[in-house]
Amino acid sequence: MDVRHLDLLRELADRGTLTAVATATHRTPSAVSQQLRAAEREAGMPLVEPHGRGVRLTRAGLLLSEGAVDVATALARVRAQLDTLRDAPVGTVTIGALPSAAEVLVPELLARLEGSGLLVTLDDFDVAESDFARLAADHDIVIGHTITGDAPEGSAHLHHRTLAEEPLDVALPVDHHLARRRHLTPELVVGERWVGVPEGYPFDTVLVAMENATGRRIERIQRLRDNRVVEAMVAHGLGIALLPRFTTRPRAGVVSKPLVGVRAARRIVALSRRDVAQRVAVRSVLDLLADIGARASR
């Protein structure tokens, strides 16, 4: 089959709608539909079928979309072998990252790449764990996090690489009755008022684990995304919270204590499409990110 047709089916599998494919590939929906019809003529069978107000891939379409990944990965591997003949890797690598992870990893990455042939462009976003995999369609590298597994939920089809392991500490007001303890347990903190995160975000997994361990419900007075806002809430005595150890800076009115008794650490993970991960420029950036993350984890 025409490789362009395979790419189209892969994009449709990843993005879900013809409109989303058209937007991502800078084409009109009619042009995408026309290419899809050409792919069906070449295959000699339907590759999509009506579904609600849109379409979905048929079994044949799914088969070819999965094969498209293998084809793209093989081609990328060959290109990577050619690229190794250069004196040094060159090119642009696009990164989308969770802000608290980007703060630890990206500034040093950019400093190390100064004067090289590699250019990095950065986008930052804070999303639910299940959304990191979707964003890999639009970035060479997506830096996300997870509490419960090796990689964020829904990313099994992607290349993933662990960059760092970061403990999550309990942040308390300095005058809190637990502030002088060396560490905290679920039994000690489950009855406190908590400044949490939205449902589906990894940090909430720890609170759920504490609820399961103690059989008690945690009161979440707010669900917030920005760690600095969370810190401010804690500093004003409104509640306690989980905050990442490496990126939580000293703040007046706040102390942090280790949490024991449940898993309270996040894994910072880089995700890429399998073919994209073969590119020498991407591999070089991943190697640097892994080195920076390993140093930060010590």
Side-chain angles (χ1 to χ4, degrees):
M1 285 196 70
D2 190 321
V3 172
R4 293 171 299 175
H5 294 164
L6 293 175
D7 286 341
L8 171 62
L9 295 171
R10 178 191 188 180
E11 293 295 337
L12 185 55
D14 282 353
R15 300 180 188 278
T17 68
L18 294 177
T19 300
V21 173
T23 300
T25 58
H26 308 290
R27 289 179 285 184
T28 64
S30 61
V32 172
S33 296
Q34 184 178 1
Q35 187 177 4
L36 185 57
R37 288 194 293 272
E40 291 184 318
R41 288 194 298 270
E42 185 179 27
M45 64 183 68
L47 301 177
V48 296
E49 60 189 6
H51 181 67
R53 295 185 178 181
V55 297
R56 65 182 177 188
L57 293 171
T58 63
R59 289 180 62 186
L62 286 170
L63 176 67
L64 291 175
S65 71
E66 293 167 0
V69 177
D70 295 330
V71 171
T73 302
L75 290 172
R77 190 176 297 117
V78 173
R79 293 192 189 102
Q81 290 171 348
L82 286 174
D83 286 343
T84 58
L85 300 179
R86 301 177 187 271
D87 292 334
V90 297
T92 298
V93 176
T94 61
I95 297 178
L98 179 75
S100 61
E103 181 179 349
V104 174
L105 300 169
V106 176
E108 184 174 344
L109 171 70
L110 297 181
R112 291 197 194 186
L113 291 177
E114 281 286 338
S116 76
L118 291 173
L119 174 67
V120 166
T121 64
L122 178 67
D123 184 20
D124 62 321
F125 39 69
D126 199 350
V127 298
E129 181 176 342
S130 59
D131 288 330
F132 288 116
R134 172 181 55 81
L135 293 165
D138 297 313
H139 303 81
D140 296 325
I141 299 170
V142 170
I143 302 174
H145 60 173
T146 183
I147 301 291
T148 57
D150 293 332
E153 177 187 345
S155 62
H157 63 294
L158 299 172
H159 176 274
H160 59 86
R161 183 168 180 179
T162 298
L163 303 180
E165 294 271 357
E166 181 174 24
L168 303 178
D169 293 333
V170 179
L172 313 111
V174 291
D175 58 356
H176 194 278
H177 68 96
L178 297 174
R180 293 189 176 184
R181 288 183 174 266
R182 295 182 61 183
H183 60 260
L184 301 172
T185 65
E187 291 75 17
L188 287 171
V189 297
V190 70
E192 299 293 324
R193 289 155 52 91
W194 283 81
V195 183
V197 296
E199 291 185 35
Y201 281 56
F203 287 13
D204 197 49
T205 305
V206 181
L207 299 191
V208 172
M210 288 196 290
E211 290 176 324
N212 293 336
T214 62
R216 298 174 61 188
R217 183 75 176 172
I218 286 176
E219 180 187 3
R220 298 162 175 82
I221 61 167
Q222 297 289 342
R223 289 182 178 271
L224 303 173
R225 295 176 179 83
D226 190 283
N227 288 341
R228 294 297 286 172
V229 178
V230 172
E231 290 173 26
M233 301 279 282
V234 173
H236 279 77
L238 298 172
I240 67 175
L242 288 175
L243 290 173
R245 185 174 297 174
F246 302 150
T247 49
T248 300
R249 294 170 293 280
R251 184 180 186 127
V254 178
V255 295
S256 295
K257 300 293 178 178
L259 177 64
V260 299
V262 293
R263 174 171 169 75
R266 67 171 175 173
R267 179 167 293 176
I268 300 174
V269 182
L271 305 174
S272 298
R273 282 180 163 183
R274 283 165 42 197
D275 54 312
V276 171
Q278 293 292 327
R279 287 172 43 201
V280 172
V282 173
R283 293 206 315 257
S284 298
V285 170
L286 285 172
D287 287 344
L288 286 173
L289 287 170
D291 182 64
I292 295 166
R295 292 172 182 269
S297 299
R298 292 174 185 168

